[in-house]
Amino acid sequence: MAVQQSAGPDPYFPDNGDARYRVHRYELALDYRPGPNRLSGTARINAIAGPAPLAEFLLNLAGFRIGRVRVDGRQPQYTHRGGRLRIRPAKPVRAGAAFTVEVHWSGNPGPVSSPWGGLGFEELADGALVASQPVGAPSWYPCNDRPADKASYLISVTTPSAYAVVSGGRLLTRTTKASTTTWVYEQSAPTSSYLVGLVIGRFQTVLLGDPGPGGVPQHGHIPAHLLPRFSRDFARQPAMMELFQELFGPYPFDEYAVAVTEEELDVPVEAQGLSLFGSNHVDGARGSERLVAHELAHQWFGNSVSVADWRHIWLNEGFAKYAEWLWSERSGGRSAQQLAAAAHRLLSTLPQDLRLADPGRTSMFDDRLYERGGLTLHAVRCALGDDAFFRMLRAWVRLYRNGSVTTAAFTGHVARFADEPVDGLFEAWVYGTTLPPLPVLRETP
């Protein structure tokens, strides 16, 4: 595992996260009642101090009522304002020492504000979901909310038995007592705080395909009346999984789940080991199949290999966009070259003032970043040729599995697989803003 962390605050979200320590594991015990939208929880956070002693440290948590805070079993001083829980231990934590934080909280969860509207925990008409990218995780649990601080999770959720709870990772137990059921999930792979997914609703669960010995179990959680349409729309997901493992390397987690809500969603949302779709993405005509591929590809690019900070988000979205094109190319649709040409034509009509390497907070989800990111990957493929390009991708995923990356790490990585210098390619596509000429494959498939 290779990890590249920013030394200080995230330049786009300086109020989120604390670089002075890192979390090893979160253990969350939650009780959620959908009717009154009431959440109470206990978090046990195992962390390690950085190279300096910790006289104080921060967690991010929205405006819940704090019931109790402990550091290594002792009561600290703390303040909770503006979504920041500032904790001053009774005794400073030694440099490099392990320590444990316990937080009890309760209240009515809801999205936290952002430049893109509310993010995080969202109450639905009959249930709830979490869509946290990029800074919505504190809407439902206390965390060190920086993408490079990846930890394992044990999540226990108790809710009325009429509801199912779906989270990323492996379901360990499901225990019913009286009218409530407790669901316990383990996500052992290091996970960024924004990638901890959760959906609560009334679902029918199906197995997608037959994973066979050593295969990846893939489950769908769907409202029963949407099952016929879902069965067609997601029928080719097992083939996507097979293709992406061929192109990118083994699937990085134990299982993969997709969940569909009764409500419509503007866009699907990826979490680690889980993707959430709205009812509008299920039409029975495979109208959103490119998005099925996009969210699956994020399990490699964005989830297993995560960004060190949000300036590098094109390494998530550009790669997932190019995976859409690769799926189309290999499944009988338009080739990556044809899709690259269409993206190039679109970008040529739009303002050319976006820099992939540092798009700025307001442009980090701009459609141009996705399209130009996909085109950049296509340009790299054109420069390297297919054999070296896919060897490069598989090595990238293998080297940085469970870690975090920067744009500079990627450009250096690509250079090791190139016969000729690629500095000019990246200067034009990643660090420049003017749209370069359309790259063309040496041999179009």
Side-chain angles (χ1 to χ4, degrees), residues 139-356:
S139 68
W140 64 292
Y141 74 100
C143 57
N144 189 17
D145 193 30
R146 45 193 281 121
D149 192 9
K150 305 173 73 169
S152 66
Y153 283 78
L154 182 71
I155 302 176
S156 168
V157 182
T158 300
T159 198
S161 296
Y163 295 87
V165 175
V166 182
S167 187
R170 186 163 59 95
L171 177 62
L172 298 183
T173 61
R174 183 178 64 187
T175 307
T176 298
K177 293 182 179 179
S179 61
T180 64
T181 299
T182 299
W183 306 67
V184 180
Y185 284 88
E186 170 81 30
Q187 177 56 272
S188 58
T191 307
S192 300
S193 52
Y194 82 95
L195 288 170
V196 183
L198 182 72
V199 59
I200 299 170
R202 303 175 192 265
F203 300 120
Q204 184 167 336
T205 298
V206 297
L207 181 67
L208 288 164
D210 180 1
V216 180
Q218 300 174 65
H219 290 92
H221 306 274
I222 319 101
H225 70 96
L226 293 177
L227 183 56
R229 281 186 276 170
F230 175 89
S231 298
R232 174 169 172 77
D233 292 336
F234 285 77
R236 300 209 291 181
Q237 184 179 280
M240 291 178 191
M241 177 71 77
E242 186 175 344
L243 173 64
F244 290 170
Q245 291 194 99
E246 173 194 334
L247 299 181
F248 310 145
Y251 178 72
F253 310 118
D254 294 330
E255 302 182 11
Y256 182 58
V258 293
V260 179
T261 70
E262 288 277 10
E263 281 79 3
E264 295 188 356
L265 300 180
D266 290 339
V267 293
V269 180
E270 83 273 8
Q272 189 144 310
L274 169 68
S275 294
L276 306 178
F277 294 81
S279 58
N280 52 311
H281 300 123
V282 180
D283 60 8
R286 294 180 180 160
S288 296
E289 189 171 76
R290 72 170 185 85
L291 299 176
V292 177
H294 185 104
E295 302 309 323
L296 176 58
H298 270 312
Q299 303 304 319
W300 287 264
F301 305 110
N303 298 9
S304 178
V305 181
S306 303
V307 292
D309 63 59
W310 289 109
R311 290 173 296 180
H312 311 286
I313 188 172
W314 83 273
L315 294 171
N316 295 359
E317 302 302 345
F319 282 58
K321 170 60 70 174
Y322 199 62
E324 296 178 29
W325 300 357
L326 293 171
W327 167 249
S328 175
E329 179 172 272
R330 294 289 288 266
S331 64
R334 287 189 290 172
S335 68
Q337 184 64 52
Q338 291 171 318
L339 291 165
H344 195 274
R345 286 192 298 271
L346 173 64
L347 288 175
S348 70
T349 69
L350 300 174
Q352 295 179 30
D353 58 359
L354 182 140
R355 181 174 288 105
L356 280 187

Side-chain angles (χ1 to χ4, degrees), residues 32 37-39 64 107-111 121-123 139-140:
Y32 179 67
N37 184 39
R38 183 75 178 174
L39 177 69
F64 293 96
N108 300 106
F121 197 100
E122 182 176 347
E123 181 186 10
S139 68
W140 64 292

